[in-house]
Amino acid sequence: MKRVLLPVLLVVAAAVMSGCVYEYTEQDGYRMAVINEGFPVPKNAYEVKAEDCTTVIAKSAKYKLKGIGDEEGTPPEDYLEEIQRWGWTELEDKRVGNVHYFEKKGKIMSLIIGPNIFDVFEMSDELEL
């Protein structure tokens, strides 16, 4: 009986685990970032240990999300559009590689996209762009 039950349990466990993969889709929507209530992150992004703060970074959050970016750090276009819908303006002239800067009411946020992971930073007032 145990020999029959073990393979069945393994198949069920594998099916359950594969259903828990966090993947980027526009349809899942967005929520507030843990470090700034006014900055959106994909709703199904999984928060992981953030980077340490520095004199130019006031707060930081790191998220895992399959399909969020490519090797060049290009974010999905609909995510950039959602950030703008939330009132943020991209400072395109300040962009450096995969580091995107956004401004809203004097606050600067930085978004760094990588393959299946992204960082959101609230920049300190000491930052000079």
Side-chain angles (χ1 to χ4, degrees):
M1 179 70 176
K2 287 183 180 179
R3 289 184 181 175
V4 173
L5 189 57
L6 183 60
V8 172
L9 287 174
L10 289 174
V11 169
V12 170
V16 168
M17 289 174 59
S18 67
C20 295
V21 173
Y22 297 99
E23 188 164 357
Y24 178 79
T25 63
E26 180 185 6
Q27 293 78 24
D28 287 332
Y30 299 88
R31 61 183 165 92
M32 299 178 294
V34 296
I35 62 167
N36 186 302
E37 293 180 357
F39 195 83
V41 295
K43 190 179 284 186
N44 55 351
Y46 177 75
E47 188 179 357
V48 295
K49 185 178 179 333
E51 304 293 325
D52 292 332
C53 294
T54 65
T55 57
V56 295
I57 298 172
K59 300 176 189 173
S60 69
K62 180 182 279 296
Y63 299 90
K64 279 188 172 183
L65 185 59
K66 186 176 179 184
I68 189 67
D70 57 18
E71 293 294 326
E72 289 80 37
T74 306
E77 190 61 37
D78 50 286
Y79 183 30
L80 293 176
E81 290 170 4
E82 186 68 20
I83 293 170
Q84 289 178 355
R85 277 193 288 278
W86 284 45
W88 295 89
T89 302
E90 183 169 5
L91 305 173
E92 293 182 16
D93 59 324
K94 306 300 183 192
R95 185 185 312 165
V96 180
N98 64 339
V99 181
H100 300 259
Y101 291 97
F102 300 89
E103 189 273 332
K104 178 180 175 182
K105 297 180 182 176
K107 186 59 72 179
I108 304 288
M109 297 293 288
S110 174
L111 174 67
I112 302 175
I113 301 277
N116 304 321
I117 197 158
F118 66 102
D119 293 279
V120 177
F121 300 107
E122 184 176 296
M123 310 311 287
S124 73
D125 294 333
E126 297 178 21
L127 176 70
E128 291 186 24
L129 290 175

